[in-house]
Amino acid sequence: MSGEFSFIHWLRERTPDTPRVLVGPGDDAAVLAPTGRPQLVTVDMVMEGTDFHLAEVGARAAGRKAMAVNLSDMAAMAGVPTAAVVSVALPQNNGRALGEELDLGLREMADAFGVAIIGGDTNSWNGPLVISVTVLGEATERGPVLRSGAQVGDWILVTGPLGGSIRGRHLTFTPRVKEALHLHAAAELHALIDISDGLAADLNHIREESRCGAVLYAEAIPFSADGVALSRSSGKSALQHALGDGEDFELIAAVSPVDGERLIREQPVQGITLTKIGECVGTGLWLEQDGVRSKLEPAGWIHQL
Ligand SMILES: [Mg+2]
């Protein structure tokens, strides 16, 4: 990266005016107007070699992913994202071009959700590309939806087919921000999480925080075409991909049986199909297949199959 190049200066010139942002990039801190709503904050870091392969996908896709994973966490709270700050460690070699490509991806995703990039920090080093994005947001009138509100008897719904995101969807997915807000308006959501670690692992987070158990119905879980394609060569079934693969970035919701029945029948959220994949039970994490219930490890590894 050239010494004179200031990524933040460049960002500043590209930051649109919005009434929420009283002071944007360029001062020591950004200033936001208060809104009176509970404020949500989430941060996630993505790293070259772990979360993406820069040589294969390019900096734009990496930037898009860095913003999108944070927006997915905001969706998982049923929050409205408003602003973001971005910290970047750029490799010294070709840093400026990388920074600009990166910004295209970050901004593409931020713009799509009305998120202002209000500041950040750029460093260069003799190491791989690392991007940390913090997204700010606010709860709607119905409040944020936590992981901890699921109750025994609740239906477990998912917003889309699962598995095989490594084939490309982990970079190109659309975070379920709008869908979460529609769902939150359509029903009382007891618990909500986005699938980053994998269906079994993330459902286990809900189960642990809600102090209940959960059973998944193997025959009900929707498989993505990617998971099915992978299963032809991976040595794993499409079910195992759906249970264990990470970064689907669909949402898992727990709702009352009455709301669940209505949501499945009415399908009120445009662009997605809600599927009932399980129920909350007293204790444990289970997979029911062909009428037989067996213990499911949070990693998605299936015993006794
Ligand atoms: Mg999450």
Side-chain angles (χ1 to χ4, degrees):
M1 192 175 79
S2 86
E4 303 97 83
F5 174 64
S6 163
F7 189 56
I8 299 305
H9 179 75
W10 191 69
L11 276 177
R12 181 183 186 178
E13 293 178 338
R14 290 164 57 82
T15 300
D17 288 335
T18 49
R20 272 299 314 280
V21 182
L22 303 179
V23 178
D27 214 310
D28 295 297
V31 182
L32 297 177
T35 66
R37 294 257 171 89
Q39 298 293 299
L40 307 174
V41 184
T42 186
V43 61
D44 213 331
M45 181 188 286
V46 297
M47 304 164 77
E48 180 180 349
T50 301
D51 300 289
F52 57 89
H53 295 289
L54 187 61
E56 282 173 34
V57 305
R60 184 172 185 165
R64 185 191 188 282
K65 178 170 183 175
M67 185 63 68
V69 296
N70 280 278
L71 294 173
S72 184
D73 276 329
M74 200 51 72
M77 303 296 286
V80 180
T82 54
V85 289
V86 179
S87 283
V88 182
L90 288 169
Q92 268 150 2
N93 188 19
N94 205 21
R96 175 167 188 153
L98 265 185
E100 293 192 6
E101 276 294 300
L102 190 63
D103 182 67
L104 285 176
L106 287 162
R107 197 166 297 279
E108 168 190 337
M109 199 31 51
D111 287 352
F113 291 91
V115 170
I117 298 175
I118 56 171
D121 189 20
T122 307
N123 292 302
S124 63
W125 71 324
N126 185 22
L129 176 62
V130 180
I131 314 153
S132 176
V133 177
T134 299
V135 166
L136 311 177
E138 56 187 41
T140 67
E141 289 135 20
R142 302 196 72 159
V145 183
L146 311 184
R147 297 176 176 185
S148 55
Q151 298 165 22
V152 173
D154 278 356
W155 285 22
I156 298 163
L157 310 184
V158 72
T159 55
L162 306 176
S165 74
I166 193 70
R167 280 170 55 94
R169 251 182 316 116
H170 75 107
L171 293 166
T172 61
F173 71 97
T174 301
R176 296 302 193 192
V177 173
K178 289 164 188 163
E179 292 79 5
L181 293 171
H182 283 150
L183 201 52
H184 196 28
E188 185 193 339
L189 305 179
H190 290 172
L192 195 61
I193 196 168
D194 63 321
I195 301 180
S196 50
D197 297 336
L199 170 60
D202 287 313
L203 178 58
N204 199 52
H205 293 318
I206 284 186
R207 188 189 76 71
E208 285 184 337
E209 293 300 317
S210 299
R211 297 166 187 269
C212 65
V215 56
L216 287 171
Y217 302 123
E219 289 85 359
I221 297 170
F223 303 152
S224 77
D226 292 319
V228 173
L230 265 189
S231 71
R232 295 192 190 109
S233 59
S234 66
K236 290 193 206 170
S237 66
L239 175 62
Q240 284 172 313
H241 281 295
L243 289 168
D245 288 0
E247 303 205 319
D248 284 302
F249 297 109
E250 297 291 348
L251 299 171
I252 306 169
V255 297
S256 73
V258 170
D259 278 344
E261 192 277 325
R262 181 174 53 82
L263 290 169
I264 295 296
R265 179 165 35 85
E266 295 180 355
Q267 293 292 335
V269 184
Q270 213 185 352
I272 59 168
T273 301
L274 294 165
T275 307
K276 180 192 179 189
I277 57 170
E279 290 177 32
C280 295
V281 296
T283 183
L285 182 65
W286 309 93
L287 181 72
E288 191 170 301
Q289 190 167 25
D290 301 323
V292 178
R293 202 172 275 196
S294 46
K295 197 166 163 40
L296 177 64
E297 293 301 325
W301 184 260
I302 306 160
H303 287 281
Q304 300 162 28
L305 287 182

